[in-house]
Amino acid sequence: MFVARPIAADHRDLIHDVSFDFHGRRMATCSSDQSVKVWDKSENGDWRCTASWKTHSGSVWRVTWAHPEFGQVLASCSFDRTAVVWEEIVGESNDKLRGQSHWVKRTTLVDSRTSVTDVKFAPKHMGLMLATCSADGVVRIYEAPDVMNLSQWSLQHEISCKLSCSCISWNPSSSRAHSPMIAVGSDDNSPNILAKVQIYEYNENTRKYAKAETLMTVTDPVHDIAFAPNLGRSFHILAVATKDVRIFTLKPVRKELTSSGGLTKFEIQIVAQFDNHNSQVWRVSWNITGTVLASSGDDGCVRLWKANYMDNWKCTGILKGNGSPVNGSSQQGVFNASLGSANTSLQNSLNGSAAGRNGKRTFFPSPTPFDLSQDTSSLITTKRNSKGLSKNTLYTFLY
Amino acid sequence: MEELDVEPPLTLIPGVDSKSKQMCFAWAPGEMLVYETLFPKECAEKRPGCPNIFIVRKDKDVYSQTLRKLFSESHGIFVGLQRSEEELGGKSRKAQLVRVSKNYRSVIRACMEEMHQLAISTRDPELQCQHSTQVCILSAMELIWNLCEILFVEVAPAGHLLLHLLDWVRLHVCDVDSMVCEVLSSENPSKHKDFWNAVDIFVLQGRMDDARHLLSKEASANPTSMGMCKILDDLMKKMPILSIGNTQTLTEMELKWQHWHEECQRYLQDGTFSSNLHMESICKILLGDENAILEKKELMTTWYHFLVTRLVYSHPTVKPVELRFYAQSSLDLFLGGESSSEPLDSILMAAFEFEIHQVIKECSIALSNWWFVAHLTDLLDHCKLLQSHNLYFGSNMREFLLLEYASGLFSHHSLWQLGVDYFDHCPEYGKVYLELHIERIPLNTEQKALKVLRICEQRQMHEQVRSICKIMAMKAVRNNRLGSALSWSIRAKDAAFATLISDRFLKDYCERGSFSDLDLIDNLGPSMLLSDRLTFLGKYREFHRLYGEKRFSEAAKLLLMLMTAHIAPCSFWMTLLTDALPLLEQKEVIFSAEQTYELMRCLEDLTAGKTDNQKLQVDDVETTKVEILRLALARNLARAIVKEGTLEGS
């Protein structure tokens, strides 16, 4: 992994969430400053803020994109007890000239009586649907029946989870064999031993969501939850961020003939559990193929996890702050330093794999010495390890 | 297999204080983004520390301009190998695989040359360092690949094995050539300080003819040592060498070797070379004296050169299975006390031990991209060398590596097209990976969308085809490009959207009195049947065309049919009836009496269908319109009756 470029976010307060659109060409950021910003990637790879507007009257917790089949649509949720759906309208000519896009509020979902903690669009095969969850313990599922009229959303389902909800995740599987499914996590921290992850499944017969499973082993507050892309498997993989990172598999047990049309029962297994973050884990999320899980925790690091061919999960990368807060003026310098450190690791790999023990492996042209002293920044903490193994992206394969 | 435990790599994010703050992240298709945040949401301290969001990428090499060539050229070789005929039996199959292997190596070499040129030509020290590093890595890759080719692909038997290993060493230790040039170009070669070094290097590499050529310089320059030179030259000449294509058996070879060895031994013992240290040490080398060879450590530079030299002069008919012992002891002897070995050493050692999995694993640790392991593993798999070794989700190691490599290509804005073919050749998960990756390719232009679409269509990826068309249709609608939107939704077979767009067309027509995108609507053909509204749009446009061509009676018939067959939406009937007005007012009678009755009924249905409430809202214009219509219809009816009566009567 290497840092490709920094983007000055320019939020006046903490950023709570960043979300890429489906193609990775746009992103949205939201912050305690009550605003949402939309960024567009230009042809040369630069990110430019094309819209920034006040969205809520409280901290904005989450922002998320609808599938582009439904146009350019965002949803945000906030401490102000609402979730809002936004749509980009193709700008007036002078807006376009200034390179700005224009977002309009299509609807405000006001059913929650407490802070709305998460908002997620359903998988696109279900149509334009949106789920929210809130601190009052209710998951709400809304639908826009007419994708050309986003001001009309109807509240389709209200699921009472009995516990303050912190996060939701839709099962992305589009297989006909799998009913729509949503997992809900709770960060309720009252001293009880109630399970904090519940899984609800849509029942075709009753046309309602009903609780299919509860992950009994997860009793500590849950901060995030994520189903992995399905890859055509018969079972599901669910990652949970609690006091550690946990990965579960949910294997549907064949429905008995008598209970056909009823709820699926699952055989739940924990396949990995990592406490490397030392304390609370706040976010978990899968890459697009569901082969790498990223987690973020109280140790201030982002860790990447990957399974090998033995179903053996290992940490395959760590992203860590270099420990130095910056002020605006030294920003550029700091970034240069980061480039420098990237080179150091390359240099390590060179020393490790190529240059000989006595520096005399003659078929390798000797490299130009990389003069660290030129870099006056003290930010580089990686030691120049002239003999160690080079550590690169591929180590993921072994173990 | 021995577990390799490697610490996960650490990437430092500048300006973020991990001690007091946390970092959060978001995934994009080919990259990741991290930013500073604080998680317990009620936390009091809100001042942001680090104002930046960072884009973090995985495969740096994918973005290298020079390596691009490596990726694109090896892609062709890879595809060729997949298509190659498995049936080719025995020798020709092997020859083919060796050829493929050599092609891969020449791509690495070409890339290395180019990188080397870049390193030389640039003035930017940092760039130069980067390029030199790449040259080193490519060079190591080629070295490893070449050894694997000899041991695993070529599977050279005893005797020939050593010839290949000698070539391998010669190819990769090229310093000697510049040294020889320097020596030969000097005024008096035999007096050059590196003269004996050059001779030694030739001997160490088994290049007897070259060594003898140099030695002749010494003989001619120094008459006193001429005799000695002659004897040494003779020994070198007589050294038995198995050559490729030679039919002599190993036993014959060993017998000859024994004789030659004894001869060398004799000369050494009777002190023939005792007056010249250089020649004496060469004679010792010829005898395979380990210490004498080790003294030339500086000239060999690597333990594997030492290994090959040692084998040449002491075990010329070494068998593949014996290599591991000699390799390990050569490594130990060469490195002396130093015990820790470098990645390259362990990779080569694993190869000498024929531990293919170990080679691939070690390469995975040491190299910074998946190119090498993916292609090498694929080649070895085609050599039927990889035992079934179930990987995650049951796919094999080859597939695992190819999937990783191709996924990396997909994070690049143009290299992704190469990745498609790699996914195609992964039987287990290739298709689903391709589906997940290709739908994330940004559809910036129609051209790009068509390219992606073609790839999906060729592979019957119906859902992706539908989704791409749908996305494009939505994009076009948002930008008010109705024609494009309509053709994309027809392609997506999206009836609902086609209806919606047809409505837009009709609305536009009502407002402006003309159609846009006539070409498209005129040529809908059978796709018109996708939705009722689209059918109506097509037919209604046909009515206009007929009218424009003054084919009035056909136009009239079609117009009536649109209403009576309920193809037209009710909301549009008034427009249709208004369209009938000019036909009713033509000089000649166009609507027959029967047709006129039908029209009248349509009009009455329309007005009767409206509730009282709606009627109240109907404005004056509408009322007038209805009045005019009724009048026109009545007059037409009269004329039609008269005309029909007259015609019948005549």
Side-chain angles (χ1 to χ4, degrees):
Chain A
M1 305 288 282
F2 67 102
V3 176
R5 65 175 77 219
I7 304 158
D10 201 27
H11 272 290
R12 288 189 311 279
D13 210 329
L14 271 183
I15 301 172
H16 292 295
D17 197 18
V18 171
S19 158
F20 275 102
D21 80 334
F22 187 72
H23 291 119
R25 302 279 307 176
R26 314 191 83 181
M27 65 168 174
T29 55
C30 66
S31 154
S32 268
D33 70 7
Q34 308 182 353
S35 74
V36 165
K37 287 176 196 279
V38 171
W39 306 74
D40 283 282
K41 194 178 186 175
S42 64
E43 286 305 318
N44 63 18
D46 288 337
W47 286 93
R48 222 163 43 78
C49 180
T50 54
S52 172
W53 72 101
K54 184 173 184 293
T55 49
H56 289 273
S57 52
S59 287
V60 189
W61 300 139
R62 295 268 199 165
V63 62
T64 186
W65 295 82
H67 193 279
E69 280 185 20
F70 304 112
Q72 297 298 308
V73 180
L74 279 173
S76 58
C77 67
S78 161
F79 183 70
D80 72 1
R81 306 175 190 182
T82 66
V84 177
V85 176
W86 308 91
E87 187 177 22
E88 184 187 34
I89 51 172
V90 176
E92 315 273 295
S93 52
N94 53 351
D95 259 355
K96 262 189 179 166
L97 278 179
R98 285 186 290 123
Q100 294 297 298
S101 61
H102 194 54
W103 291 78
V104 291
K105 184 190 280 189
R106 288 303 186 201
T107 197
T108 306
L109 306 169
V110 294
D111 303 275
S112 172
R113 282 170 295 281
T114 53
S115 172
V116 180
T117 48
D118 201 357
V119 59
K120 295 273 165 67
F121 284 102
K124 70 168 192 291
H125 65 269
M126 293 171 59
L128 187 50
M129 292 184 104
L130 187 67
T132 64
C133 72
S134 47
D136 59 8
V138 181
V139 171
R140 294 180 176 86
I141 297 173
Y142 299 87
E143 181 172 18
D146 176 3
V147 297
M148 296 310 287
N149 180 6
L150 299 187
S151 54
Q152 308 253 313
W153 288 79
S154 56
L155 177 59
Q156 296 280 337
H157 303 281
E158 262 188 316
I159 309 168
S160 174
C161 299
K162 312 278 197 299
L163 283 171
S164 162
C165 301
S166 56
C167 50
I168 41 181
S169 174
W170 288 96
N171 184 341
S173 172
S174 60
S175 159
R176 282 167 200 279
H178 301 142
S179 306
M181 189 194 287
I182 191 165
V184 189
S186 165
D187 60 356
D188 183 305
N189 56 8
S190 57
N192 59 40
I193 51 155
L194 290 175
K196 299 297 190 302
V197 177
Q198 303 172 28
I199 291 159
Y200 292 87
E201 193 186 45
Y202 183 67
N203 185 320
E204 290 289 346
N205 296 344
T206 61
R207 296 171 179 244
K208 281 202 168 97
Y209 280 85
K211 196 191 288 184
E213 281 297 344
T214 307
L215 300 190
M216 298 309 293
T217 54
V218 184
T219 52
D220 294 287
V222 167
H223 308 292
D224 201 8
I225 195 163
F227 274 110
N230 185 266
L231 295 181
R233 289 177 298 241
S234 61
F235 61 93
H236 313 292
I237 296 181
L238 182 69
V240 175
T242 170
K243 62 175 183 182
D244 48 22
V245 178
R246 293 186 204 182
I247 301 169
F248 294 91
T249 54
L250 287 81
K251 296 189 171 114
V253 179
R254 215 167 63 88
K255 287 177 189 173
E256 294 302 317
L257 285 172
T258 48
S259 68
S260 67
L263 285 169
T264 319
K265 281 288 146 202
F266 295 94
E267 185 191 319
I268 298 171
Q269 277 182 335
I270 184 159
V271 292
Q273 184 165 8
F274 301 107
D275 55 6
N276 305 49
H277 285 295
N278 297 325
S279 182
Q280 297 299 310
V281 181
W282 296 100
R283 276 293 172 90
V284 283
S285 162
W286 298 92
N287 69 343
I288 61 165
T289 46
T291 45
V292 181
L293 177 74
S295 65
S296 162
D298 262 350
D299 60 349
C301 294
V302 173
R303 288 168 191 272
L304 304 176
W305 311 92
K306 187 169 165 59
N308 76 341
Y309 51 93
M310 317 265 275
D311 228 351
N312 192 352
W313 291 83
K314 279 261 169 107
C315 181
T316 65
I318 303 170
L319 304 173
K320 189 176 195 279
N322 68 359
S324 317
V326 268
N327 49 40
S329 59
S330 65
Q331 244 179 63
Q332 202 51 45
V334 167
F335 183 58
N336 286 340
S338 88
L339 279 175
S341 71
N343 284 332
T344 328
S345 73
L346 253 181
Q347 186 70 12
N348 286 346
S349 89
L350 162 68
N351 287 333
S353 67
R357 180 164 289 98
N358 45 18
K360 290 204 78 175
R361 275 197 185 149
T362 46
F363 58 87
F364 296 125
S366 55
T368 320
F370 186 67
D371 189 3
L372 274 181
S373 64
Q374 284 178 355
D375 198 329
T376 50
S377 161
S378 60
L379 297 171
I380 300 167
T381 55
T382 40
K383 263 190 282 175
R384 220 175 144 210
N385 176 0
S386 64
K387 278 194 147 190
L389 285 171
S390 61
K391 287 168 194 164
N392 275 304
T393 47
L394 297 201
Y395 58 88
T396 53
F397 173 64
L398 20 149
Y399 45 81
Chain B
M1 193 180 294
E2 184 190 355
E3 289 241 330
L4 301 166
D5 216 359
V6 187
E7 276 290 303
L10 187 69
T11 308
L12 289 180
I13 307 299
V16 176
D17 183 6
S18 278
K19 283 194 191 75
S20 61
K21 299 259 173 62
Q22 287 105 42
M23 274 198 297
C24 199
F25 59 89
W27 285 103
E31 51 201 9
M32 188 181 214
L33 171 160
V34 291
Y35 55 96
E36 185 187 274
T37 190
L38 269 176
F39 276 111
K41 286 161 186 172
E42 299 78 18
C43 183
E45 206 226 325
K46 282 187 161 185
R47 211 176 62 81
C50 175
N52 286 342
I53 298 175
F54 295 92
I55 302 283
V56 179
R57 285 182 181 156
K58 194 164 166 249
D59 296 333
K60 192 177 195 129
D61 293 343
V62 169
Y63 304 94
S64 153
Q65 270 303 318
T66 327
L67 290 180
R68 202 192 152 89
K69 200 174 224 170
L70 179 72
F71 300 141
S72 57
E73 294 194 4
S74 55
H75 164 259
I77 304 173
F78 172 83
V79 172
L81 176 60
Q82 312 307 309
R83 293 190 185 139
S84 69
E85 290 173 46
E86 297 271 345
E87 303 85 53
L88 276 179
K91 276 198 171 156
S92 53
R93 175 66 176 163
K94 190 167 121 185
Q96 185 188 35
L97 291 168
V98 171
R99 201 163 56 241
V100 168
S101 177
K102 289 193 166 142
N103 286 343
Y104 277 129
R105 282 201 291 123
S106 67
V107 173
I108 304 178
R109 287 227 152 224
C111 197
M112 199 163 80
E113 294 286 319
E114 193 171 318
M115 198 67 89
H116 185 62
Q117 287 307 317
L118 279 177
I120 296 172
S121 58
T122 184
R123 275 157 193 253
D124 178 352
E126 194 178 315
L127 261 181
Q128 192 176 27
C129 168
Q130 274 180 24
H131 292 320
S132 309
T133 308
Q134 283 289 2
V135 172
C136 289
I137 292 168
L138 287 166
S139 168
M141 286 205 250
E142 209 263 334
L143 176 84
I144 300 164
W145 191 299
N146 196 354
L147 183 62
C148 290
E149 179 184 306
I150 294 167
L151 298 176
F152 308 139
V153 186
E154 190 94 52
V155 206
H160 290 161
L161 172 65
L162 196 56
L163 296 177
H164 284 292
L165 289 178
L166 266 177
D167 281 340
W168 174 61
V169 162
R170 286 173 195 159
L171 188 64
H172 293 96
V173 184
C174 33
D175 262 17
V176 62
D177 294 316
S178 55
M179 192 195 276
V180 170
C181 275
E182 211 180 294
V183 170
L184 284 179
S185 59
S186 69
E187 235 166 77
N188 194 348
S190 62
K191 292 283 179 286
H192 192 279
K193 66 173 168 48
D194 278 332
F195 176 78
W196 286 105
N197 278 345
V199 178
D200 285 346
I201 288 172
F202 282 140
V203 173
L204 291 168
Q205 294 189 7
R207 293 162 71 173
M208 288 305 163
D209 292 340
D210 294 321
R212 288 170 57 207
H213 176 68
L214 265 188
L215 208 56
S216 68
K217 303 278 176 196
E218 162 75 5
S220 54
N222 198 350
T224 53
S225 63
M226 204 202 271
M228 239 190 288
C229 283
K230 185 124 197 339
I231 295 167
L232 192 58
D233 180 76
D234 200 41
L235 283 177
M236 288 181 181
K237 196 169 97 184
K238 280 198 269 182
M239 178 176 157
I241 291 170
L242 202 67
S243 62
I244 297 187
N246 196 330
T247 51
Q248 68 176 320
T249 63
L250 280 186
T251 346
E252 281 171 351
M253 165 74 189
E254 270 164 5
L255 209 65
K256 278 192 194 167
W257 179 268
Q258 201 56 43
H259 282 299
W260 177 76
H261 204 259
E262 280 161 12
E263 195 180 349
C264 295
Q265 191 76 44
R266 251 194 332 271
Y267 282 117
L268 185 69
Q269 274 166 1
D270 66 17
T272 309
F273 304 115
S274 54
S275 62
N276 187 320
L277 275 177
H278 295 299
M279 291 199 228
E280 187 173 40
S281 99
I282 290 174
C283 186
K284 281 183 182 165
I285 293 172
L286 295 184
L287 280 164
D289 181 326
E290 263 166 24
N291 291 327
I293 300 175
L294 264 184
E295 270 174 33
K296 309 293 176 195
K297 197 169 166 176
E298 294 294 303
L299 297 177
M300 290 182 290
T301 68
T302 65
W303 65 270
Y304 42 91
H305 189 339
F306 171 59
L307 163 71
V308 174
T309 306
R310 200 177 148 207
L311 291 173
V312 166
Y313 295 110
S314 52
H315 308 279
T317 55
V318 66
K319 296 190 187 73
V321 286
E322 297 163 346
L323 273 179
R324 63 170 69 208
F325 308 113
Y326 296 117
Q328 188 60 55
S329 67
S330 299
L331 177 70
D332 294 344
L333 280 171
F334 194 84
L335 296 187
E338 285 185 81
S339 54
S340 71
S341 64
E342 302 282 340
L344 184 62
D345 297 333
S346 9
I347 293 166
L348 296 176
M349 188 56 75
F352 283 125
E353 288 168 349
F354 286 83
E355 295 280 3
I356 293 177
H357 289 145
Q358 192 71 13
V359 173
I360 290 160
K361 287 190 172 195
E362 301 253 8
C363 288
S364 304
I365 311 177
L367 297 172
S368 62
N369 69 62
W370 292 98
W371 181 89
F372 182 82
V373 274
H375 287 87
L376 181 64
T377 308
D378 175 60
L379 177 66
L380 297 181
D381 187 42
H382 278 86
C383 297
K384 307 250 177 281
L385 279 169
L386 306 174
Q387 299 97 326
S388 67
H389 188 95
N390 283 340
L391 299 180
Y392 194 43
F393 306 144
S395 93
N396 58 26
M397 176 162 66
R398 168 189 172 273
E399 174 152 334
F400 181 99
L401 296 172
L402 287 176
L403 290 174
E404 288 295 333
Y405 173 64
S407 298
L409 291 179
F410 261 87
S411 63
H412 188 272
H413 65 88
S414 66
L415 286 174
W416 64 268
Q417 295 167 77
L418 304 178
V420 174
D421 287 311
Y422 287 90
F423 283 140
D424 279 350
H425 291 101
C426 294
E428 186 98 26
Y429 283 99
K431 178 104 188 259
V432 53
Y433 267 66
L434 180 60
E435 286 171 0
L436 287 169
H437 278 289
I438 204 155
E439 61 184 12
R440 305 284 183 150
I441 298 293
L443 309 168
N444 319 8
T445 60
E446 296 240 336
Q447 205 183 358
K448 193 158 176 198
L450 287 171
K451 187 185 266 176
V452 176
L453 199 64
R454 204 156 41 239
I455 291 169
C456 295
E457 279 171 348
Q458 281 162 358
R459 288 159 183 79
Q460 273 95 47
M461 292 158 56
H462 303 298
E463 171 49 28
Q464 281 67 31
V465 168
R466 193 202 60 76
S467 186
I468 290 165
C469 294
K470 179 108 208 229
I471 291 169
M472 292 308 287
M474 183 55 105
K475 211 169 170 179
V477 161
R478 284 167 29 84
N479 288 291
N480 252 322
R481 287 182 286 112
L482 291 184
S484 169
L486 184 58
S487 58
W488 281 112
S489 39
I490 289 171
R491 245 184 135 145
K493 300 197 175 53
D494 184 341
F497 216 64
T499 301
L500 190 143
I501 297 161
S502 305
D503 277 340
R504 284 273 186 97
F505 266 110
L506 294 168
K507 192 169 141 251
D508 277 9
Y509 169 75
C510 292
E511 282 165 8
R512 281 185 278 160
S514 66
F515 282 110
S516 55
D517 301 283
L518 283 178
D519 269 3
L520 176 71
I521 303 171
D522 282 345
N523 295 299
L524 282 172
S527 51
M528 196 190 279
L529 301 173
L530 179 62
S531 92
D532 289 350
R533 199 60 46 85
L534 184 59
T535 315
F536 171 65
L537 175 65
K539 290 288 172 195
Y540 184 53
R541 163 61 196 153
E542 196 179 321
F543 160 76
H544 278 267
R545 216 182 54 232
L546 291 172
Y547 184 84
E549 289 165 9
K550 300 213 185 307
R551 292 152 70 182
F552 294 133
S553 65
E554 283 169 81
K557 208 170 142 195
L558 180 58
L559 188 69
L560 190 58
M561 189 270 280
L562 287 176
M563 284 181 283
T564 53
H566 290 277
I567 295 170
C570 286
S571 58
F572 215 76
W573 282 24
M574 188 48 88
T575 313
L576 293 181
L577 288 166
T578 319
D579 282 333
L581 263 181
L583 290 170
L584 294 168
E585 300 293 339
Q586 289 291 325
K587 268 187 195 136
E588 55 182 309
V589 180
I590 292 163
F591 286 103
S592 68
E594 200 183 333
Q595 285 175 322
T596 315
Y597 283 127
E598 295 261 23
L599 279 176
M600 289 167 116
R601 207 186 41 153
C602 290
L603 180 63
E604 293 317 307
D605 280 359
L606 188 62
T607 45
K610 287 191 174 152
T611 61
D612 291 342
N613 194 20
Q614 280 173 313
K615 265 182 192 157
L616 281 175
Q617 287 175 349
V618 168
D619 53 16
D620 287 347
V621 183
E622 192 83 338
T623 329
T624 325
K625 222 184 225 172
V626 173
E627 291 301 316
I628 292 171
L629 268 170
R630 282 194 177 126
L631 186 63
L633 285 165
R635 276 175 24 192
N636 189 68
L637 183 61
R639 287 161 62 200
I641 291 171
V642 169
K643 188 184 162 205
E644 282 160 30
T646 321
L647 280 174
E648 268 167 37
S650 65

